[in-house]
Amino acid sequence: MARIRFYGGKGGVGKTTVAAAQAEVLSSSGPTLLVSTDPAHNLSDLFDISAGSEITTLHANLDLLEIDPEQEARRYLDEVKANIREHVRPALLDEVHRHIDMAYYSPGANESALFDRLTRLILDESAEYEHIIFDTAPTGHTLRLITLPEMMGMWVDGLIGRRSSLQKDSPQWVRDVPEQSDPVLEKLKERKARFSQVREILVDANKTGFWFVANPEKLSLLETQRAVKDLLDHRIPVKGIIINKVLSGLPEGDFFSKRAEAQKPYISKLKRIKGVKTKLELPLLERDIADQATFRQICRLLHDAV
Ligand SMILES: Nc1ncnc2c1ncn2[C@@H]1O[C@H](COP(=O)(O)OP(=O)(O)O)[C@@H](O)[C@H]1O
Ligand SMILES: [Mg+2]
């Protein structure tokens, strides 16, 4: 079973850079899949390729997948329509389809479709990889995604309860089916079981590691402190914090040496965050990570640090 790593943090701190470099480093030890769940996909830009919603091979040991939540939501609802066809009276099918189409625009639809794709990835498609690295969207989005199994579990429980009582009252829109073989109820129970399985994998420190990328700045510090606490409150272990874009070794009096001084208290506060064992520093490089040479430089730094 693949080991999973998530990289979270504020926009612009270096999640995509660090996740991609870490995937590159790990791929030397076994087949690795790098997945983006950020709707603003940057991985294909970074690697200068056009990856789609299917798994693309970057090189022998490294695959890439950019999940498009909107496309997943569409695909998911089409599947629901196909599934429901046999359980609904034909005369009501149009009406039911209209309701399903409306679900596409409802709050949380993209997230739950994204989560469904993640579930498939983690439970059904992970066997051939040794490492799966997630480059995630900015923090709030990721936290919701990770706490989704719990929420969806409760939501499905509610549906199961409603479905059971509905069946007793024999509603007009559902075809009569004997209680012991209710296919809708079976599907719901199956979904719930899969969500619990994913959750178990996510909270198991031997299988999953959460990493935060932070910059030595006030807003990134505050957000990292909050996010780490949120995850720990949900019993999700946090493996490490990567303090990225650190300035050092600059001549005194220089504008950048003042910036470096300003970074110091934030670095020490990031290092003091409780409940997280590993804290690493990565320097701010002379230029952004836009070519192979600088990307390799980040890979080497990470390789030496971990
Ligand atoms: N250590 C670093 N030194 C120099 N530039 C960096 C470093 N880390 C990231 N960058 C640059 O910062 C910008 C944001 O990084 P990115 O990885 O896209 O952040 P995120 O995915 O968190 O939004 C990019 O232009 C990237 O090249
Ligand atoms: Mg990014």
Side-chain angles (χ1 to χ4, degrees):
M1 149 117 228
R3 277 173 165 260
I4 300 168
R5 282 183 187 226
F6 281 85
Y7 286 90
K10 234 167 76 67
V13 292
K15 293 180 298 296
T16 298
T17 305
V18 171
Q22 189 63 59
E24 183 65 46
V25 170
L26 288 172
S27 72
S28 64
S29 69
T32 302
L33 175 65
L34 174 58
V35 186
S36 166
T37 64
D38 187 349
H41 294 301
N42 293 130
L43 285 175
S44 31
D45 298 337
L46 184 64
F47 287 105
D48 270 332
I49 57 157
S50 65
S53 52
E54 300 301 323
I55 293 177
T56 312
T57 298
L58 269 178
H59 59 68
N61 256 349
L62 185 56
D63 285 354
L64 184 64
L65 171 65
E66 290 183 327
I67 300 176
D68 178 347
E70 282 186 19
Q71 199 179 323
E72 290 303 326
R74 217 348 96 220
R75 193 194 320 213
Y76 175 65
L77 292 178
D78 285 346
E79 220 178 274
V80 173
K81 277 187 194 169
N83 278 337
I84 214 155
R85 193 176 299 268
E86 47 191 292
H87 309 304
V88 172
R89 291 182 201 286
L92 288 174
L93 203 57
D94 275 355
E95 177 68 20
V96 170
H97 277 188
R98 247 199 315 281
H99 276 275
I100 294 172
D101 282 334
M102 254 151 55
Y104 177 74
Y105 300 101
S106 70
N110 282 3
E111 270 163 340
S112 73
L114 174 59
F115 188 73
D116 238 60
R117 182 70 189 93
L118 281 190
T119 302
R120 259 190 295 141
L121 193 63
I122 291 172
L123 298 184
D124 311 327
E125 298 166 44
S126 64
E128 59 190 282
Y129 295 103
E130 227 159 89
H131 306 281
I132 301 183
I133 314 284
F134 286 101
D135 167 24
T136 70
T139 314
H141 194 274
T142 306
L143 287 177
R144 273 203 303 281
L145 193 69
I146 288 158
T147 50
L148 218 54
E150 219 176 343
M151 257 160 48
M152 299 269 263
M154 288 192 272
W155 183 70
V156 170
D157 266 345
L159 279 182
I160 289 174
R162 284 227 302 279
R163 173 73 189 166
S164 302
S165 56
L166 236 150
Q167 216 183 24
K168 282 193 207 96
D169 302 342
S170 177
Q172 303 161 349
W173 61 274
V174 181
R175 283 183 177 167
D176 294 331
V177 277
E179 187 164 3
Q180 58 273 38
S181 71
D182 177 350
V184 177
L185 205 52
E186 289 311 309
K187 263 245 161 338
L188 285 174
K189 285 181 177 163
E190 194 185 299
R191 264 171 85 77
K192 186 174 161 15
R194 282 170 68 81
F195 294 150
S196 320
Q197 267 176 286
V198 172
R199 177 157 169 89
E200 263 162 45
I201 292 171
L202 294 185
V203 298
D204 184 343
N206 293 317
K207 294 178 178 154
T208 305
F210 285 90
W211 290 75
F212 282 98
V213 182
N215 293 157
E217 294 168 359
K218 183 177 179 182
L219 297 189
S220 177
L221 166 71
L222 294 178
E223 196 179 88
T224 308
Q225 288 171 326
R226 265 197 304 266
V228 168
K229 185 177 176 306
D230 267 356
L231 281 190
L232 296 179
D233 285 351
H234 281 90
R235 290 189 301 113
I236 295 177
V238 180
K239 280 266 159 68
I241 297 171
I242 292 174
I243 308 165
N244 187 30
K245 305 193 184 180
V246 173
L247 289 161
S248 64
L250 298 154
E252 210 159 305
D254 178 81
F255 168 80
F256 280 104
S257 79
K258 289 184 191 143
R259 295 279 305 179
E261 275 308 307
Q263 286 190 342
K264 281 182 185 157
Y266 297 121
I267 295 176
S268 58
K269 280 183 184 143
L270 282 164
K271 287 193 169 166
R272 283 206 301 272
I273 291 180
K274 290 200 179 73
V276 184
K277 210 166 115 204
T278 309
K279 277 113 179 189
L280 303 173
E281 287 181 43
L282 282 181
L284 177 73
L285 300 188
E286 280 175 14
R287 60 192 88 214
D288 58 333
I289 322 302
D291 55 53
Q292 276 297 314
T294 34
F295 181 62
R296 294 270 154 210
Q297 214 175 328
I298 293 282
C299 293
R300 266 196 305 279
L301 286 164
L302 262 181
H303 183 267
D304 296 343
V306 183

Coordinates of all heavy atoms in Angstrom, one line a residue, residues 9-18 38 42 135-136 244-245 282-290 298, ligand 1:
G9 N -0.9 24.6 2.9 CA -0.3 25.9 3.2 C -1.0 27.0 2.4 O -1.8 26.7 1.5
K10 N -0.7 28.3 2.7 CA -1.3 29.4 2.1 C -0.9 29.5 0.6 O 0.1 28.9 0.2 CB -0.7 30.7 2.7 CG -1.7 31.7 3.2 CD -1.0 32.7 4.1 CE -0.2 33.7 3.3 NZ -1.0 34.6 2.5
G11 N -1.6 30.2 -0.2 CA -1.2 30.3 -1.6 C 0.1 31.0 -1.8 O 0.4 32.0 -1.0
G12 N 1.0 30.5 -2.6 CA 2.2 31.2 -2.9 C 3.4 30.8 -2.0 O 4.5 31.3 -2.3
V13 N 3.2 30.0 -1.0 CA 4.3 29.7 -0.1 C 5.3 28.7 -0.7 O 6.4 28.6 -0.2 CB 3.8 29.2 1.3 CG1 3.1 30.3 2.1 CG2 2.9 28.0 1.1
G14 N 4.8 27.9 -1.6 CA 5.7 26.9 -2.3 C 5.2 25.5 -2.2 O 6.0 24.6 -2.4
K15 N 3.9 25.3 -2.0 CA 3.4 23.9 -2.0 C 3.7 23.1 -3.2 O 4.2 22.0 -3.2 CB 1.9 24.0 -1.8 CG 1.4 24.5 -0.5 CD -0.2 24.5 -0.4 CE -0.8 25.3 -1.5 NZ -0.6 26.8 -1.4
T16 N 3.4 23.7 -4.4 CA 3.6 23.0 -5.6 C 5.0 22.7 -5.8 O 5.4 21.6 -6.2 CB 3.0 23.9 -6.8 OG1 1.6 24.1 -6.6 CG2 3.3 23.2 -8.2
T17 N 5.9 23.7 -5.6 CA 7.3 23.5 -5.7 C 7.8 22.3 -4.8 O 8.5 21.4 -5.3 CB 8.1 24.8 -5.3 OG1 7.5 25.8 -6.1 CG2 9.6 24.7 -5.6
V18 N 7.5 22.4 -3.5 CA 8.0 21.4 -2.6 C 7.4 20.0 -2.9 O 8.1 19.0 -2.9 CB 7.6 21.9 -1.1 CG1 8.0 20.7 -0.2 CG2 8.5 23.1 -0.8
D38 N -5.5 21.2 -6.4 CA -5.8 22.6 -6.5 C -6.4 23.0 -7.8 O -5.8 22.7 -8.8 CB -4.4 23.3 -6.3 CG -4.5 24.8 -6.2 OD1 -5.7 25.4 -6.4 OD2 -3.5 25.5 -5.9
N42 N -0.8 23.9 -11.2 CA 0.5 24.5 -11.6 C 1.5 23.4 -12.0 O 2.5 23.7 -12.5 CB 1.1 25.4 -10.5 CG 0.2 26.6 -10.3 OD1 -0.1 27.0 -9.2 ND2 -0.1 27.3 -11.4
D135 N -0.4 17.7 -3.9 CA -0.2 19.1 -3.9 C -1.6 19.7 -3.8 O -2.4 19.6 -4.7 CB 0.5 19.5 -5.3 CG 0.4 21.0 -5.5 OD1 0.4 21.8 -4.5 OD2 0.5 21.4 -6.7
T136 N -1.9 20.3 -2.6 CA -3.3 20.7 -2.4 C -3.5 22.2 -2.6 O -2.6 23.0 -2.7 CB -3.7 20.3 -0.9 OG1 -3.0 21.2 -0.1 CG2 -3.3 18.9 -0.6
N244 N 9.9 27.7 4.0 CA 10.4 28.0 2.7 C 10.7 29.5 2.5 O 10.1 30.3 3.1 CB 9.4 27.5 1.7 CG 10.0 27.5 0.2 OD1 11.2 27.4 0.0 ND2 9.1 27.7 -0.7
K245 N 11.7 29.8 1.6 CA 12.0 31.1 1.3 C 12.8 31.8 2.4 O 12.5 33.0 2.7 CB 10.8 31.9 0.8 CG 10.1 31.3 -0.4 CD 9.1 32.2 -1.0 CE 8.3 31.5 -2.1 NZ 7.3 32.3 -2.7
L282 N 14.1 25.8 4.0 CA 14.6 25.9 2.6 C 14.9 27.3 2.3 O 14.1 28.2 2.6 CB 13.6 25.4 1.6 CG 13.4 23.9 1.5 CD1 12.3 23.6 0.4 CD2 14.6 23.2 1.1
P283 N 16.1 27.6 1.7 CA 16.4 29.0 1.4 C 15.6 29.6 0.2 O 15.2 28.8 -0.7 CB 17.9 28.9 1.0 CG 18.0 27.5 0.4 CD 17.1 26.6 1.2
L284 N 15.5 30.9 0.2 CA 15.0 31.6 -1.0 C 16.1 31.5 -2.0 O 17.2 32.0 -1.8 CB 14.6 33.0 -0.6 CG 14.1 33.9 -1.8 CD1 12.7 33.5 -2.2 CD2 14.2 35.4 -1.4
L285 N 15.8 31.0 -3.2 CA 16.8 30.9 -4.2 C 16.8 32.3 -5.0 O 15.9 33.1 -4.8 CB 16.5 29.8 -5.2 CG 16.5 28.4 -4.6 CD1 16.4 27.3 -5.7 CD2 17.7 28.1 -3.7
E286 N 17.9 32.4 -5.8 CA 18.0 33.7 -6.5 C 16.9 33.9 -7.5 O 16.6 35.1 -7.8 CB 19.3 33.6 -7.3 CG 20.6 33.9 -6.4 CD 21.8 33.7 -7.2 OE1 21.8 33.6 -8.5 OE2 22.9 33.6 -6.6
R287 N 16.3 32.9 -8.0 CA 15.2 33.1 -8.9 C 14.1 32.1 -8.6 O 14.2 31.2 -7.8 CB 15.7 32.9 -10.4 CG 16.3 31.5 -10.6 CD 17.0 31.4 -11.9 NE 18.4 31.8 -11.7 CZ 19.2 32.4 -12.7 NH1 18.6 32.8 -13.8 NH2 20.4 32.7 -12.4
D288 N 12.9 32.3 -9.3 CA 11.8 31.4 -9.0 C 12.1 30.0 -9.7 O 13.0 29.9 -10.5 CB 10.5 32.0 -9.6 CG 10.5 32.3 -11.0 OD1 11.6 32.6 -11.5 OD2 9.5 32.3 -11.7
I289 N 11.3 29.0 -9.3 CA 11.6 27.7 -9.7 C 11.0 27.4 -11.1 O 9.9 26.8 -11.2 CB 11.1 26.6 -8.7 CG1 11.3 27.2 -7.3 CG2 11.8 25.3 -8.9 CD1 12.7 27.5 -6.9
A290 N 11.6 27.9 -12.1 CA 10.9 27.9 -13.4 C 11.7 27.1 -14.5 O 11.3 27.0 -15.6 CB 10.7 29.3 -13.9
I298 N 16.3 22.6 -5.7 CA 15.3 22.4 -4.6 C 15.3 20.9 -4.3 O 15.2 20.5 -3.1 CB 13.9 22.9 -5.0 CG1 13.9 24.4 -5.1 CG2 12.8 22.4 -4.0 CD1 13.8 25.2 -3.8
Ligands
LIG1 N1 12.7 28.4 -2.3 C1 12.3 29.2 -3.2 N2 13.1 30.1 -3.8 C2 12.7 30.9 -4.8 N3 11.5 30.9 -5.3 C3 10.6 30.0 -4.8 C4 11.0 29.1 -3.8 N4 9.9 28.3 -3.5 C5 8.9 28.7 -4.3 N5 9.3 29.7 -5.1 C6 8.5 30.4 -6.1 O1 7.4 31.0 -5.5 C7 6.2 31.0 -6.3 C8 5.1 30.2 -5.6 O2 5.4 28.9 -5.4 P1 4.4 27.7 -5.6 O3 5.1 26.4 -5.4 O4 3.7 27.8 -6.9 O5 3.4 28.0 -4.4 P2 2.0 27.4 -4.0 O6 1.8 26.1 -4.7 O7 2.0 27.3 -2.5 O8 1.0 28.5 -4.4 C9 6.6 30.3 -7.6 O9 7.0 31.3 -8.5 C10 7.9 29.5 -7.2 O10 8.8 29.4 -8.3

